[in-house]
C-alpha cells in the first residue's frame, strides 16, 4: 500500500522532530521509513497508519534516528580524514616531496637571518592561523545550500577547528625550547616541517571542502 503525499510529508516532519537537521539524513530516513511502512502495510492492510509507523520506527533500533546520525557522522569524519591524508601524503612522495623539502629548508635557512629564531617561527604559525580565516569564511558563506544544511559539509568544516589545538601545542613547545634553540638551532627544523604540514592541511582541506559542495549540489540537484 502506497503512502499519500500528505502521509509522506507527515513522516518527513516526524523525522525532523528528532532534531535531525541535516538535509541528506532527513531525505534518507524519510525514504527508509516510507519504504518500510509500505512493506508492512502491504503484508497487513488492517493496521492503522500510526501502527505501521511505530513498527517501521522500531526497525531503527533502541536509539532510533539519532543513533544513525551519530554513526553517519563518524563514518563521514573518517572518510574525510582518509581522503585528506591521502592528498597530503602525495606531497611526501616523489616528485612533490622535493617541493616540501625545499619549503622546509627555505624556512629553516631564513630563520638564521633573524635574531630571534623562535619568534620568527612563531610568527609563521600566527600567519598560518590567519590564513585559516578565509577557510572559515568560505564555510560560513556555504554552510547552507538553497537554505538546506548538510552533515557532509559540516564535517569538512569541523576538521579545520583542530588546527587551533595544533597551534597551541606548537607555541607551547616553541616557548619550552626557546633557550635551547640558541645553542642548538637544529631544534627549529621540526617546527619548520610542522608549518609546511599545516599549509598542506589547509590547502587539501579547502580542496575537499569545495569538492564536497560541488558533489552535494549535484547529487541533490540544488544548482
Amino acid at each position: 500500500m502506497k503512502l499519500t503525499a500528505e502521509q509522506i510529508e507527515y513522516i518527513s516532519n516526524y523525522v525532523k522532530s528528532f532534531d535531525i537537521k541535516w538535509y541528506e539524513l532527513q531525505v534518507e530516513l524519510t525514504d527508509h521509513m516510507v519504504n518500510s511502512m509500505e512493506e508492512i502495510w502491504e503484508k497487513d492492510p488492517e493496521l492503522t497508519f500510526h501502527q505501521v509507523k511505530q513498527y517501521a520506527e522500531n526497525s531503527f533500533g533502541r536509539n532510533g534516528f539519532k543513533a544513525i546520525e551519530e554513526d553517519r557522522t563518524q563514518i563521514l569524519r573518517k572518510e574525510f580524514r582518509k581522503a585528506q591524508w591521502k592528498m597530503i601524503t602525495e606531497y611526501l612522495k616523489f616528485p612533490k616531496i622535493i617541493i616540501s623539502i625545499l619549503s622546509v629548508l627555505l624556512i629553516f635557512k631564513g630563520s638564521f637571518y633573524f635574531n630571534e629564531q623562535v619568534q620568527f617561527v612563531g610568527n609563521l604559525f600566527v600567519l598560518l592561523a590567519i590564513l585559516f580565516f578565509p577557510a572559515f569564511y568560505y564555510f560560513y558563506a556555504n554552510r547552507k545550500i538553497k537554505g538546506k544544511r548538510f552533515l557532509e559539509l559540516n564535517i569538512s568544516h569541523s576538521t579545520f577547528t583542530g588546527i587551533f589545538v595544533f597551534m597551541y601545542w606548537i607555541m607551547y613547545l616553541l616557548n619550552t625550547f626557546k633557550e635551547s634553540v640558541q645553542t642548538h638551532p637544529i631544534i627549529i627544523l621540526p617546527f619548520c616541517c610542522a608549518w609546511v604540514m599545516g599549509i598542506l592541511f589547509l590547502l587539501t582541506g579547502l580542496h575537499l571542502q569545495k569538492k564536497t559542495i560541488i558533489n552535494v549540489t549535484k547529487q541533490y540537484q540544488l544548482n
Side-chain angles (χ1 to χ4, degrees):
M1 186 181 294
K2 295 293 183 181
L3 270 63
T4 65
E6 290 78 10
Q7 289 171 331
I8 293 174
E9 184 178 0
Y10 176 90
I11 295 300
S12 178
N13 291 330
Y14 181 70
V15 169
K16 295 176 185 176
S17 71
F18 285 84
D19 195 32
I20 304 298
K21 55 190 175 183
W22 315 112
Y23 181 72
E24 71 265 50
L25 282 182
Q26 292 173 1
V27 171
E28 182 179 333
L29 291 172
T30 298
D31 287 345
H32 188 92
M33 277 284 289
V34 169
N35 291 334
S36 181
M37 288 176 67
E38 289 177 345
E39 290 177 4
I40 294 171
W41 227 342
E42 188 70 30
K43 295 177 181 178
D44 192 348
E46 299 299 320
L47 294 173
T48 66
F49 172 78
H50 289 286
Q51 285 176 324
V52 172
K53 178 181 72 66
Q54 187 60 53
Y55 285 134
E57 187 177 349
N58 290 342
S59 67
F60 285 90
R62 181 179 179 183
N63 296 318
F65 303 135
K66 296 302 290 184
I68 292 176
E69 181 184 58
E70 180 61 28
D71 289 343
R72 182 61 57 82
T73 299
Q74 296 301 324
I75 291 171
L76 288 175
R77 185 174 288 120
K78 288 180 181 179
E79 289 179 348
F80 187 91
R81 287 174 179 170
K82 183 178 179 180
Q84 186 171 30
W85 279 110
K86 183 178 180 181
M87 292 183 66
I88 290 175
T89 54
E90 289 299 317
Y91 285 89
L92 302 179
K93 298 177 182 178
F94 188 83
K96 291 183 178 180
I97 193 173
I98 295 176
I99 299 175
S100 301
I101 292 175
L102 288 176
S103 299
V104 171
L105 293 178
L106 181 63
I107 297 169
F108 180 65
K109 186 68 175 178
S111 68
F112 286 93
Y113 290 94
F114 294 83
N115 294 328
E116 292 289 339
Q117 286 180 284
V118 170
Q119 184 178 352
F120 168 72
V121 175
N123 289 339
L124 284 180
F125 279 98
V126 171
L127 174 62
L128 180 59
I130 293 173
L131 291 176
F132 267 84
F133 281 102
F136 282 109
Y137 174 79
Y138 183 78
F139 167 77
Y140 181 81
N142 296 278
R143 69 191 187 283
K144 292 182 179 180
I145 302 178
K146 301 292 184 179
K148 298 176 175 60
R149 298 185 66 185
F150 291 84
L151 177 59
E152 194 171 357
L153 281 178
N154 189 67
I155 292 297
S156 66
H157 162 67
S158 63
T159 57
F160 285 107
T161 58
I163 193 64
F164 292 104
V165 178
F166 174 72
M167 296 290 185
Y168 169 81
W169 285 108
I170 286 295
M171 300 306 292
Y172 173 79
L173 290 173
L174 273 173
N175 288 327
T176 301
F177 292 105
K178 185 175 182 179
E179 300 299 327
S180 301
V181 168
Q182 303 300 325
T183 53
H184 302 90
I186 195 67
I187 293 175
I188 286 294
L189 189 59
F191 294 97
C192 298
C193 294
W195 190 84
V196 171
M197 287 295 292
I199 290 293
L200 293 177
F201 189 89
L202 171 62
L203 295 177
T204 55
L206 280 172
H207 174 78
L208 289 173
Q209 195 177 61
K210 292 179 181 179
K211 184 178 179 181
T212 299
I213 292 173
I214 293 173
N215 291 341
V216 166
T217 302
K218 182 178 180 180
Q219 181 179 351
Y220 293 93
Q221 300 178 353
L222 298 173
N223 294 315

